[in-house]
Amino acid sequence: RDLVRSRGLGDVYKRQMGSLYRLPLGFGWSAGAMRWTDYITPSTLHLGPFVELLIEPFAGVDGLAQLQLGLHEVLVNAVRHGNGCDPAKCLRVRRILTPRWLVWQVQDQGDGVPTQRRSGGLPDCLDAPCGRGIFLIHHCFDDVRWSQRGNRLQVAIQRSRLSGRGPGSLDP
């Protein structure tokens, strides 16, 4: 396991596993090769460069706007609501690439989102200052899962939704 500092992103750290591993059966996807990369970053709302780093392997693929929007919303929620915008706290992000899925796991250091607030519905009052983020996340990704505690969110999109659309096609 190699921990390296990523250029241009301050204190973002990256650990990458370059070899291919088999997913255990019953993991939710078909068994096949996967690669993952871990990132640790301070809790900040300056997220544009970090989102770009997270989707870097897919640069040039058409239709990334929805993916970018969803990832940005996941990270903003983790910083604002999970870590309370505390720069002393960190976010841990794991990007997992499988033959069929693109997966991101985002964990903050907060107490977690209560179970009743994890659904993807709109708030009763549409003019409320917050409450639309989880709705947006559910519409940007094919699969949204929470840890039991609620401070780790896993979002995934099927490769087939993005493949074959541009020069950087995601077909395995």
Side-chain angles (χ1 to χ4, degrees), residues 54-135:
L54 292 175
I55 63 170
E56 181 181 41
F58 322 113
V61 174
D62 292 337
L64 284 182
Q66 184 173 336
L67 180 60
Q68 262 181 309
L69 175 65
L71 280 173
H72 192 268
E73 191 59 38
V74 168
L75 295 168
V76 165
N77 282 355
V79 170
R80 278 195 180 151
H81 304 294
N83 287 347
C85 291
D86 183 349
K89 293 183 177 180
C90 292
L91 296 180
R92 299 173 84 69
V93 178
R94 176 172 283 180
R95 180 183 63 209
I96 304 168
L97 308 177
T98 77
R100 294 188 181 165
W101 291 89
L102 311 174
V103 182
W104 289 267
Q105 297 171 340
V106 178
Q107 182 172 345
D108 59 54
Q109 293 179 288
D111 295 330
V113 176
T115 306
Q116 64 273 18
R117 297 193 62 212
R118 298 178 192 176
S119 70
L122 282 170
D124 293 334
C125 178
L126 294 179
D127 292 338
C130 59
R132 290 173 291 280
I134 294 175
F135 170 80

Side-chain angles (χ1 to χ4, degrees), residues 148-170:
Q148 185 173 352
R149 182 175 160 193
N151 72 326
R152 185 176 61 241
L153 179 60
Q154 176 176 294
V155 293
I157 189 168
Q158 294 182 39
R159 280 183 179 260
S160 60
R161 282 187 52 193
L162 299 174
S163 64
R165 294 175 147 190
S169 175
L170 297 180

Side-chain angles (χ1 to χ4, degrees), residues 66 120 134-142 144 161:
Q66 184 173 336
I134 294 175
F135 170 80
L136 200 59
I137 291 166
H138 277 271
H139 285 282
C140 289
F141 295 98
D142 297 318
V144 177
R161 282 187 52 193

